[in-house]
Amino acid sequence: MPPRTEEGVIRIVCRHLRDEGFVVVREVPFMTKRIDAAAVRPRGRTLVAVEAKASDWMRGLSQALIYQLSAHRVYVAIAAAQHQVNLSLFRRHGIGLVLAGNEVKTLVAPSPSPFVIPMQAKELKKRILGNRSR
Amino acid sequence: MEIYYRLGTAGEQELFGSETASFEGILVGAHIASLGRTWVTGLIVRTGKPYHVDPMTYVFAQDPQIVRRADEVRKSYDELADSYGGVIRQNAGRRPLRRSELRGNSVSDLASRVVDFEETVLSETGPVQATLVEYLEEIGETVHHVMPPSLVLPPYFYAESIEDPWYGVNLELAEATREVSDPGRVAPVLCISQRAAGTDSGLERMAQDYGEYPTVYVWISGLDEQRATQTALYGYGKLVHALARRGTHPRTLYGGPFSLALATAGLEGVSSGICYSEWKDVAVRATGGGFPTRYYVPLNRTKAVLANAARLLASVPECMCDCEVCRDVVPVSIRRRRPNPEVAEAIASLTQLETKRHLMRVRAGEVRKMRAHSAASIAARLEADARLARQRNTHVYGVPSSHLQSWAAVMHRLKL
């Protein structure tokens, strides 16, 4: 049964990331926004940010573009029930798209963000690894 | 077209003082003048700018919560109610003033108290203000003497339509103000709903009733230029045009970039806060929570939170602004690179003061451009910018542009 809420979507994605060996933190403050989930491997350099959307993938894409200022790979995670997603728009902007259902399926792989501001990335990493006990 | 910025907080003094070339005058809410008369007088003395006082009387006929904080009336409105006295003082923060409470003597009494307040609240003759002026002279600051406000705004209340009894009260208050003040300086506020501005008969009646005043302030409650329907914007434009054709000089109490375009319909002045309050609903209370720092994107004629603006400009350098503030932060030499994280970093680090200075510079430039254009050429410019914004997908970055197309359509429809 695919999740119906953003909470359901993000839970599935976070579990998946943890299984892959990432340290994951939810609701990470970034400028005036909050990243739904941010992750990095304990000794890794690549920062991952995820925006979850149960509907309105376009809003998710807008949010995800901003996260490219602080994370190297950015995904929008949507519930399997969402239709008519414009995959080429995701490809053009280098944003990844994953489908959260019984398992996490990657529809579009993200490109490394060329927009990362080093100071923002450092801050994000600190926020993730500084919260490992959560 | 004149820009009169609304004074928000004491923290904006530096901005008003350093950007005097970007605006013509200052609009001071009576509640702010009442509570901050010393620093507001100081600002007027230092800038030498003309000013108007918005009497803010409408709030006393709205939900009392608007003027309350927790269990008491906010100090600024409490002091204002003391100055206005009478039925305002009796009801402030308790219940909305009723139309039936303003008749006969209470109309003329309120009019003369409001005139007296506006004429004297920012004078140099109060003991604290006099000391301040003396001090500024002593330390060698340029001091301009405070003149009375260049316009006097009669007390006013919100009217849902021309049939609303408050509409008639406002006319009585304007007339009573003319009797106790220099008639040439009386500028009534036409504070109405979008519905009231939506019918031809209503517009004609308003133009007729207010057309005899040399200046009229228009406030269409809740008219958010960016989200308004074309019908609502068309009504606003027609009202301005109808007033101007009657020979009056219309100004707007809250307005943004669309209002600037109405210079071609005869609008002579636009007021707003600096980077906020380009529209306002009479029934909504100020939250006092402030705004996140926002950056005005000139192409889209909209403000975007800093993160969205930074990300947009990192990908779409055509949206980069060329004002002095932005040139200081983002050198021209690095602007054309794409992708451009340096631009994003520079924009993301802008302070609120810098984004406001940027807006003031850009807005002054927009006004200069409007002066040289017809309604048709403004519409063409809006269409061209809407096209460019669409091609660059600015909406994907959370910076919308569809309103530009609506504004262009309204400018065409107004047939100016």
Side-chain angles (χ1 to χ4, degrees):
Chain A
M1 182 86 173
R4 290 183 180 181
T5 62
E6 275 173 27
E7 176 62 21
V9 170
I10 202 69
R11 269 192 201 171
I12 292 170
V13 174
C14 287
R15 194 172 59 220
H16 174 77
L17 285 166
R18 287 193 186 101
D19 290 347
E20 295 283 316
F22 282 87
V23 177
V24 184
V25 178
R26 291 182 55 184
E27 297 289 325
V28 186
F30 165 62
M31 297 182 76
T32 49
K33 317 275 180 183
R34 276 183 177 273
I35 300 174
D36 286 339
V40 66
R41 288 202 166 91
R43 289 171 198 276
R45 285 185 180 172
T46 304
L47 294 161
V48 174
V50 183
E51 172 68 16
K53 278 281 172 274
S55 58
D56 198 357
W57 59 267
M58 186 67 197
R59 263 180 77 97
L61 177 63
S62 292
Q63 287 285 98
L65 284 167
I66 295 165
Y67 304 160
Q68 284 184 319
L69 298 175
S70 67
H72 303 95
R73 291 182 188 274
V74 181
Y75 294 87
V76 172
I78 58 171
Q82 277 198 58
H83 299 294
Q84 296 177 324
V85 181
N86 184 344
L87 299 184
S88 65
L89 208 49
F90 282 81
R91 286 194 193 100
R92 193 186 312 157
H93 291 285
I95 301 289
L97 180 67
V98 296
L99 210 56
N102 292 332
E103 55 182 15
V104 174
K105 187 177 167 192
T106 302
L107 298 182
V108 176
S111 311
S113 166
F115 302 104
V116 174
I117 301 172
M119 204 179 71
Q120 297 288 353
K122 195 173 160 189
E123 183 66 23
L124 180 61
K125 190 170 182 180
K126 205 165 87 182
R127 284 182 191 274
I128 302 169
L129 295 178
N131 286 283
R132 289 191 67 177
S133 54
R134 278 191 191 175
Chain B
M1 170 69 80
E2 292 185 332
I3 297 180
Y4 269 55
Y5 282 118
R6 294 187 82 93
L7 203 48
T9 63
E12 288 180 336
Q13 287 183 81
E14 185 196 333
L15 198 59
F16 275 90
S18 64
E19 294 297 320
T20 50
S22 303
F23 64 99
E24 281 69 34
I26 300 173
L27 187 64
V28 189
H31 60 311
I32 289 174
S34 181
L35 192 63
R37 60 184 74 195
T38 306
W39 69 264
V40 178
T41 304
L43 181 65
I44 303 288
V45 162
R46 283 196 303 277
T47 61
K49 290 287 186 186
Y51 66 95
H52 306 155
V53 179
D54 176 353
M56 303 292 293
T57 39
Y58 76 93
V59 294
F60 298 107
Q62 298 295 318
D63 181 343
Q65 288 305 319
I66 293 179
V67 297
R68 293 179 70 91
R69 176 182 286 143
D71 293 335
E72 54 186 16
V73 179
R74 288 169 187 260
K75 201 170 173 211
S76 56
Y77 287 109
D78 200 40
E79 289 199 6
L80 190 60
D82 279 344
S83 300
Y84 292 166
V87 288
I88 298 276
R89 178 66 280 174
Q90 285 159 25
N91 299 306
R94 295 194 185 93
R95 63 168 176 76
L97 191 64
R98 294 183 192 122
R99 184 262 171 272
S100 56
E101 286 164 317
L102 274 173
R103 56 173 55 160
N105 284 346
S106 59
V107 167
S108 51
D109 183 50
L110 179 59
S112 59
R113 278 180 177 259
V114 166
V115 170
D116 185 51
F117 178 84
E118 291 182 28
E119 297 272 19
T120 60
V121 67
L122 301 179
S123 77
E124 295 164 33
T125 51
V128 183
Q129 284 116 311
T131 311
L132 172 78
V133 172
E134 226 169 76
Y135 169 72
L136 289 171
E137 281 171 335
E138 191 71 28
I139 61 170
E141 283 228 24
T142 309
V143 170
H144 304 268
H145 288 287
V146 181
M147 306 297 284
S150 48
L151 293 175
V152 173
L153 281 61
Y156 66 92
F157 298 90
Y158 169 70
E160 186 65 35
S161 67
I162 56 171
E163 288 80 33
D164 184 337
W166 283 114
Y167 181 82
V169 172
N170 286 339
L171 288 172
E172 285 174 41
L173 286 163
E175 186 52 39
T177 301
R178 206 151 50 169
E179 282 167 19
V180 292
S181 183
D182 167 10
R185 287 198 295 134
V186 174
V189 178
L190 183 47
C191 175
I192 49 164
S193 68
Q194 294 182 42
R195 188 169 65 85
T199 64
D200 284 343
S201 56
L203 290 180
E204 274 315 307
R205 167 84 185 278
M206 286 187 271
Q208 190 182 339
D209 290 339
Y210 284 86
E212 60 187 274
Y213 291 89
T215 304
V216 174
Y217 261 110
V218 174
W219 174 12
I220 300 183
S221 176
L223 185 76
D224 175 354
E225 295 178 357
Q226 202 175 307
R227 291 178 184 80
T229 61
Q230 287 184 25
T231 307
L233 293 171
Y234 179 63
Y236 173 34
K238 275 189 80 172
L239 174 60
V240 165
H241 194 42
L243 287 164
R245 269 186 320 190
R246 291 263 173 182
T248 189
H249 303 288
R251 309 175 72 94
T252 185
L253 211 49
Y254 298 91
F258 176 75
S259 293
L260 299 188
L262 289 184
T264 54
L267 194 68
E268 296 201 0
V270 171
S271 296
S272 71
I274 304 173
C275 225
Y276 68 96
S277 278
E278 291 183 349
W279 64 279
K280 187 176 166 70
D281 189 316
V282 286
V284 175
R285 64 193 283 206
T287 55
F291 295 92
T293 304
R294 293 183 297 177
Y295 179 86
Y296 182 71
V297 181
L299 176 72
N300 300 56
R301 293 169 186 74
T302 189
K303 297 179 284 290
V305 293
L306 223 42
N308 291 71
R311 181 61 188 83
L312 169 74
L313 295 172
S315 280
V316 190
E318 296 92 325
C319 290
M320 194 71 232
C321 164
D322 203 31
C323 77
E324 273 177 42
V325 179
C326 294
R327 278 205 306 265
D328 277 354
V329 179
V330 184
V332 176
S333 57
I334 67 161
R335 288 182 174 205
R336 292 286 155 189
R337 285 183 216 151
R338 209 191 303 222
N340 204 330
E342 289 98 334
V343 167
E345 186 167 13
I347 296 297
S349 65
L350 285 171
T351 63
Q352 195 156 62
L353 193 68
E354 286 169 327
T355 57
K356 288 186 174 198
R357 281 181 60 216
H358 152 75
L359 177 120
M360 293 173 92
R361 299 281 175 106
V362 174
R363 185 63 38 97
E366 288 174 338
V367 170
R368 278 195 298 275
K369 280 183 201 158
M370 293 296 171
R371 285 190 188 125
H373 285 84
S374 64
S377 66
I378 288 170
R381 180 78 258 164
L382 289 167
E383 282 165 340
D385 288 348
R387 258 194 315 275
L388 181 60
R390 264 199 314 276
Q391 284 162 4
R392 298 292 180 265
N393 284 318
T394 64
H395 68 286
V396 176
Y397 301 94
V399 184
S401 66
S402 55
H403 54 279
L404 300 178
Q405 202 62 56
S406 290
W407 296 355
V410 173
M411 294 308 292
H412 283 305
R413 198 172 152 201
L414 281 169
K415 295 194 180 83
L416 298 168

